[in-house]
Amino acid sequence: MGLHQYSEAINAARPEALRESLRLLLAAHALPVFGAAKAVEHEVAALNALQVIGYLPERSDEFELVEKLRITKTKARNLLYQVALRQQGQSVTEIDDSLRAVLGGRHVLKDGSFFLVEVPDPLTMDRLRRRVRAAGYLSDGSFSGAIARIPEGALVTLIDELIDKHHKQEILKRLHKAGLADVSVSGFVKAFLITVGKKYAGEVGVRIGDHLVDLFEHGYASIAQYAGEVVNQLKSSQVSAVE
């Protein structure tokens, strides 16, 4: 692997980007003194610099690193993890946003009573695993590489936690008006997943993520077209009305 593979990106980069990439590369040599930084610090600095000049996307996944840096998938995921650890501490809201983005992605597949979710970022995967454990479900045997295999009950709990308070209040208000005063938000989420799963059987891999991101962003209003079916699902007791 030679420098020539970066030449196009270097030549196309703006002067400000080149200065910033050089600053990132040299910063690793000052931790704490020249020559004292570990190899991983230089690798992280180089990856950040390559993103600044546009050789790598700002939010790279392991496949892009494998292709463009000629490294193994394991090495790529380890490097992404190291980069994430060195970023400034994220707030609870930012962490929740990263989980919403994963669940609202297009790579969400239904497999029986489980949901398969692709999680390119290894730190987000660890956070997802922790939330699944906190919900009382086994995660170690259900997660492999970049794929999280989440039990339906754990996903329901997670979605419930990620819906903001304003949307939750609106959901409960609408359910009460429909005569379902005892239904919790988690009961609604479970009925919603069943309804969408039946509606788009055979193409759920695309549809579930699309509808989840709508649910996170717009709450009850985003599923108005399914509201009647969700309510009927709850009234027919096919799901538990109270979680």
Side-chain angles (χ1 to χ4, degrees), residues 108-116 152 193-194 197 204-205 208:
V108 180
L109 302 172
K110 193 170 188 301
D111 180 21
S113 60
F114 288 83
F115 290 83
L116 306 182
E152 183 182 81
L193 288 176
I194 290 174
V204 176
I208 286 180

Side-chain angles (χ1 to χ4, degrees), residues 4 20 38 47 61 86 94-95 105 116 125 136 155 173 175 183 194 221 223:
H4 67 276
E20 175 63 11
K38 295 181 179 179
L47 188 147
D61 61 28
R86 284 159 179 75
E94 289 172 323
I95 292 172
L116 306 182
M125 175 67 93
L155 183 64
K173 180 180 176 181
L175 292 176
V183 177
I194 290 174
I223 56 98

